[in-house]
Amino acid sequence: MASPTLMYGRRYQKGVNLITAVAMTAFHIGAVAAFFFIDSGAILTAIALYFVAGMLGIGMAYHRLLTHRGYRTYSWIEYFLTFCGTLALEGGPIFWVATH
């Protein structure tokens, strides 16, 4: 019995990804609406999310820990950092490791 061929990536994608299209549309509508609701709390929240998703999630987890295995840590920390990486909406950890 032959093993099935796994087809991941943009090369095999057909049409528009509905989930991504809806999410990106909502984010852009929210970005325009943010101009009318911005205050110090919103700015602090944006800075905190940048730190959690960008630095901890993408930098520490996806890039250094999962892709290059640059360091080792406890499983619960690895799971927490990987969760932080998913908040950046740059694809799941398996996709990131496979395509980086």
Side-chain angles (χ1 to χ4, degrees):
M1 182 168 149
S3 64
T5 302
L6 297 177
M7 295 187 290
Y8 291 109
R10 291 185 181 142
R11 178 186 323 179
Y12 302 105
Q13 183 177 348
K14 302 280 192 253
V16 174
N17 184 333
L18 184 62
I19 294 172
T20 302
V22 169
M24 295 307 288
T25 301
F27 287 144
H28 283 85
I29 291 171
V32 171
F35 286 120
F36 302 101
F37 298 101
I38 195 161
D39 60 0
S40 60
I43 292 172
L44 290 176
T45 302
I47 292 170
L49 288 175
Y50 172 76
F51 177 77
V52 170
M55 294 180 179
L56 293 179
I58 298 300
M60 286 183 66
Y62 277 20
H63 187 81
R64 302 216 188 286
L65 178 62
L66 299 177
T67 301
H68 298 298
R69 288 293 174 186
Y71 64 95
R72 292 180 51 183
T73 186
Y74 297 108
S75 293
W76 68 271
I77 294 175
E78 183 174 344
Y79 296 146
F80 172 74
L81 291 173
T82 303
F83 173 74
C84 292
T86 62
L87 295 175
L89 298 176
E90 291 194 18
I94 295 173
F95 173 77
W96 180 275
V97 171
T99 58
H100 178 73

